Amino acid sequence: LNNFGDIGRKRLTLGSTVWIRRSNDVIPEILGKVEDGTNGTPILKPERCPACGSELIEEGAHLFCPNREGCKPQVIARLTHFCSRDAMNIESLSEKTLEILYGHLNVRKPQDLYQLRREDLVGLPGFQEKKAEKVLEAIHVSRECGLDAFLFALGITNVGRATARDIALAFGSLDRLRAAGLEELKEIPAVGDVVGGSVIAFFADPDNAGMVDALLASGVVPKDMPKPNRQEKLRGLFFVITGTLSGFTRQEAEELIKENGGTVLSSVSRKTTYLLAGGNPGSKLQKAQALGITVLDEDSFVRLISGQ
């Protein structure tokens, strides 16, 4: 269920028996209500945040709590994302540990982490000398990071790990990105009006800009990323990957495609040039075959990459 409107369209109630399927062969999706004569309890549209009590605002199809700084689950979620493996990779700062720092040391923003001292940590619940040193060392190491990891860590709306890397490779430095306009961003294949607009809006927001400046002032150094000397043999070709690959991971296959100028899509459409299919490919294979899209096994993919 994506939003409250989706619940209404499908006429769902608490206690309903529902039709369900594996969307995209993975995600459990509720399709609708089974008409079995039972009514169930109506699901009421929430008016206030269940965590902090703030009045919710509605933007498009979604409901949001506007209390970014005072709503604990929001703050903890952003900090957890910032510290996650694909972001700043601060291994010692789990969600549970961040909740302790939130409650005892008033940690609210990512830049607060870089102001922590040994004497702040020792004596907190679960903190002894060894853990305090481990946390501080992990924070210190994270100061030197890739620009792509830094962009992902910031939590820019609509910018996932792969898109963050594409943007970092295209602009090379944080300064160039912050000065970029929408048209420059849209030159990146993975970036359109929505993603580009999200990036522009993020850096234009005074609070976000202040957070970035505070992180830089705290010694965080996002490393510039020179444009790769990549091949262009797959330029203009669009790939979808499905199933289990044996010769390399899905991420490695995606990197190979991008390094050679190709584009990776998440779903099969008439725009797709090739479907790379591993074991147990699922419905994407059927759709590709129905659309007449060329299906590659791993050997064919390797030959394509090598120019054969």
Side-chain angles (χ1 to χ4, degrees):
L1 296 174
N2 295 311
N3 49 59
F4 188 78
D6 204 24
I7 293 172
R9 281 189 298 274
K10 294 171 180 176
R11 299 185 297 111
L12 303 177
T13 57
L14 295 177
S16 295
T17 301
V18 298
W19 297 105
I20 193 166
R21 70 164 183 166
R22 288 179 64 196
S23 177
N24 233 8
D25 290 321
V26 178
I27 303 167
E29 179 188 9
I30 293 176
L31 297 176
K33 180 179 178 181
V34 176
E35 299 299 339
D36 57 1
T38 59
N39 293 321
T41 305
I43 300 173
L44 302 179
K45 187 176 184 178
E47 297 180 354
R48 294 192 173 275
C49 172
C52 69
S54 298
E55 186 174 350
L56 299 176
I57 59 175
E58 192 166 357
E59 295 181 6
H62 302 289
L63 296 167
F64 292 94
C65 170
N67 186 15
R68 283 179 56 87
E69 304 302 326
C71 185
K72 181 179 177 180
Q74 285 195 66
V75 174
I76 296 297
R78 284 195 295 273
L79 290 172
T80 302
H81 172 80
F82 182 85
C83 297
S84 63
R85 180 183 299 177
D86 287 337
M88 299 300 280
N89 194 25
I90 308 178
E91 293 183 358
S92 301
L93 290 182
S94 64
E95 181 178 344
K96 184 176 180 181
T97 301
L98 288 166
E99 287 182 352
I100 293 171
L101 300 182
Y102 177 99
H104 292 266
L105 298 179
N106 201 35
V107 170
R108 296 292 185 271
K109 300 179 180 181
Q111 58 264 37
D112 296 339
L113 299 171
Y114 295 93
Q115 308 306 318
L116 295 174
R117 301 168 298 174
R118 175 185 165 279
E119 52 267 35
D120 297 326
L121 298 175
V122 175
L124 294 180
F127 275 86
Q128 295 81 33
E129 292 273 356
K130 187 174 182 180
K131 181 168 182 177
E133 291 175 3
K134 187 177 180 181
V135 166
L136 292 175
E137 175 62 18
I139 292 173
H140 174 71
V141 169
S142 76
R143 282 187 165 93
E144 291 193 10
C145 59
L147 176 58
D148 54 340
F150 181 75
L151 294 177
F152 180 60
L154 294 178
I156 303 171
T157 304
N158 298 313
V159 176
R161 187 67 176 87
T163 304
R165 180 170 176 79
D166 289 341
I167 293 172
L169 288 171
F171 286 93
S173 72
L174 181 61
D175 288 341
R176 282 195 60 208
L177 174 59
R178 294 181 78 173
L182 180 59
E183 293 307 314
E184 289 179 89
L185 280 159
K186 287 169 60 178
E187 291 177 5
I188 303 170
V191 176
D193 287 321
V194 174
V195 175
S198 293
V199 174
I200 297 294
F202 180 88
F203 287 111
D205 182 272
D207 290 337
N208 293 331
M211 174 182 69
V212 173
D213 290 338
L215 286 167
L216 298 179
S218 299
V220 176
V221 182
K223 296 178 183 176
D224 291 353
M225 297 181 67
K227 289 187 177 181
N229 182 22
R230 71 183 197 178
Q231 303 291 325
E232 294 293 328
K233 64 185 72 169
L234 302 183
R235 185 176 181 83
L237 303 181
F238 297 87
F239 292 77
V240 173
I241 303 172
T242 186
T244 304
L245 304 176
S246 58
F248 28 66
T249 66
R250 180 170 299 208
Q251 184 174 354
E252 288 169 342
E254 290 181 1
E255 290 298 323
L256 275 172
I257 292 168
K258 292 177 181 178
E259 286 170 7
N260 286 277
T263 301
V264 180
L265 305 174
S266 60
S267 59
V268 175
S269 68
R270 295 189 183 279
K271 186 177 181 180
T272 307
T273 313
Y274 293 108
L275 177 74
L276 171 57
N280 300 314
S283 62
K284 288 182 181 179
L285 176 60
Q286 298 169 1
K287 186 170 183 180
Q289 291 171 332
L291 292 174
I293 292 164
T294 301
V295 178
L296 302 175
D297 60 18
E298 290 185 57
D299 289 340
S300 301
F301 174 67
V302 171
R303 288 197 297 273
L304 181 66
I305 291 290
S306 61
Q308 299 179 24

